[in-house]
Amino acid sequence: MLLSTREMLYKAQREGYAVPAFNIHNMETLQVVVETAAKMHSPVIIAGTPSTIENYAGPEYIEAMAQVAARNHAIPMSIHLDHFEDPKAIKKDIDLGFKSCMIDASKKPFEENIRIVKDIVEYAHRYDAVVEAELGMLGGQEDDIHVDEKDAMYTNPADAVEFVARTGIDSLAVAIGTAHGLYKGEPKLDFDRLQAIREQVSIPLVLHGASDVPDEAVKRAISLGICKVNIATDLKIPFSAAVKEFFLEHPEASDPRKYMTPGKIAMQEIVAHKIDVCGSANRY
C-alpha cells in the first residue's frame, strides 16, 4: 500500500535518521530504488519531477508501477511529486492517488508563496496527502528547473516560523547551501542556520540537492534535524555511465534488457550507499 510520508518522516525525526527520496524516471530506476530499499528494510520515497511524471513517463504509469512495488514489498513507501510549480498538475495527480507532493513557489514573493502553498495544503489534506514547500531557493539545475547562483537565497529562521504557521505544510525544504546538480567546489552548508530553524520549527525538515554533498555533511545535517534527503543526480550519472560502457564494449547491442541491466546494477550500489548515509536501513 502506498502511504503519505507523514508517519515516515515523524518516525525518522523522533529516531534521528532520514528517509531517502530518490528521483526515478522509468520502470528500471523505480525497480532499483524499491528493491534495494526492501533488501535493506528501509522506508523509501519514490520522487519524480514534472518533466518525468508529466512529460515523460506519465503520472498514471508511475502510480501503477508504484502500486505494484508496494504490493510486492512490505516497507513503507510513498510516491512524491517533486518540485511541482503548477497547482493544477498537483491536484490532478493527487486525484490519481499520489499521497505526497512538493509545491515549489519559492521563486515567488513571500506572501504569494504562502497563498499558493496554502491552497495546495487545503486541497491535499482532504485526500490524506501531505505537502512539502520550500522557503529560500536552491541554486543549480534539476531537469527543467534552473536557479542562478546569484538568485539563490538561504532560509530565514524567523520567516520559516511564520511560513509554517500560515500555510499548514507538513514538511519544509530548507535552503542552507545545497544546490541541484553537481557542485563546482565542495558545498559549504550553513549548519548554524539549520540548527536555528530546527529549534523554532517542529515539522520535518528536508534537504534538497544532496547529490555530490560529502557523506559527513549529510550525516551532520541529519543529526541537526533533517529527516528527508533528496537524491537525483548521484543516481543518473552511474546509471548512464554503465549503459555507455556497455555500448562501447557491445556496439552491436539492441536488446534493452541487456544494456539496461548494467545501469541498474551501478545505480543499485549508490542507492544502498545513500540508505546507509541516511541511517534508514533496518528501521522496518
Side-chain angles (χ1 to χ4, degrees):
M1 179 179 178
L2 293 174
L3 308 170
S4 80
T5 56
R6 185 178 290 109
E7 290 307 316
M8 272 193 246
L9 296 189
Y10 275 111
K11 183 177 187 296
Q13 184 172 274
R14 290 192 303 270
E15 298 182 13
Y17 64 94
V19 179
F22 296 106
N23 278 62
I24 58 90
H25 302 91
N26 51 21
M27 182 187 73
E28 287 80 9
T29 50
L30 188 150
Q31 286 175 322
V32 172
V33 166
V34 173
E35 290 170 7
T36 306
K39 288 178 183 176
M40 299 180 72
H41 302 281
S42 170
V44 70
I45 297 168
I46 303 161
T49 58
S51 59
T52 292
I53 293 177
E54 298 297 315
N55 303 329
Y56 178 70
E60 295 89 352
Y61 282 97
I62 296 293
E63 197 274 339
M65 289 189 293
Q67 288 287 2
V68 171
R71 287 197 298 270
N72 290 343
H73 301 285
I75 55 170
M77 190 185 309
S78 180
I79 46 175
H80 176 74
L81 306 170
D82 186 33
H83 279 287
F84 271 58
E85 298 179 341
D86 182 0
K88 290 181 180 178
I90 290 177
K91 293 175 181 179
K92 171 181 64 68
D93 291 343
I94 287 174
D95 291 345
L96 282 173
F98 284 75
K99 293 292 187 182
S100 181
C101 67
M102 179 201 181
I103 172 65
D104 187 358
S106 60
K107 297 176 186 176
K108 305 290 186 182
F110 186 70
E111 289 296 330
E112 189 174 358
N113 190 352
I114 288 176
R115 179 186 62 78
I116 293 170
V117 171
K118 187 176 180 180
D119 173 64
I120 292 298
V121 169
E122 290 173 353
Y123 190 88
H125 284 181
R126 289 184 225 153
Y127 298 92
D128 192 34
V130 296
V131 180
E132 172 188 325
E134 185 172 313
L135 189 60
M137 293 188 292
L138 272 65
Q141 182 164 353
E142 181 174 8
D143 289 346
D144 297 331
I145 303 158
H146 182 268
V147 178
D148 289 336
E149 290 182 14
K150 64 182 177 61
D151 293 326
M153 300 182 297
Y154 283 15
T155 303
N156 180 288
D159 288 345
V161 173
E162 181 181 356
F163 187 76
V164 169
R166 291 177 61 187
T167 59
I169 55 173
D170 302 282
S171 60
L172 176 67
V174 293
I176 58 167
T178 55
H180 294 129
L182 297 177
Y183 294 87
K184 297 176 182 176
E186 184 171 318
K188 304 294 183 184
L189 304 192
D190 190 339
F191 294 112
D192 291 339
R193 182 180 300 269
L194 173 59
Q195 187 168 4
I197 296 169
R198 175 73 289 164
E199 289 172 355
Q200 298 178 61
V201 173
S202 61
I203 64 171
L205 301 180
V206 178
L207 185 68
H208 282 236
S211 289
D212 206 30
V213 176
D215 293 346
E216 291 308 311
V218 174
K219 290 178 180 178
R220 187 176 177 193
I222 293 169
S223 74
L224 293 173
I226 291 293
C227 55
K228 173 175 174 272
V229 173
N230 286 28
I231 303 112
T233 304
D234 274 352
L235 304 183
K236 291 188 287 189
I237 291 175
F239 190 103
S240 60
V243 173
K244 291 172 188 175
E245 184 177 350
F246 182 88
F247 275 116
L248 287 175
E249 296 175 358
H250 307 279
E252 77 290 346
S254 61
D255 187 338
R257 295 169 297 179
K258 293 183 178 179
Y259 63 73
M260 294 289 255
T261 297
K264 293 175 71 175
I265 293 171
M267 181 176 161
Q268 181 181 355
E269 294 178 9
I270 301 300
V271 171
H273 176 71
K274 296 297 183 180
I275 288 173
D276 281 334
V277 171
C278 286
S280 62
N282 297 312
R283 296 290 179 171
Y284 287 89

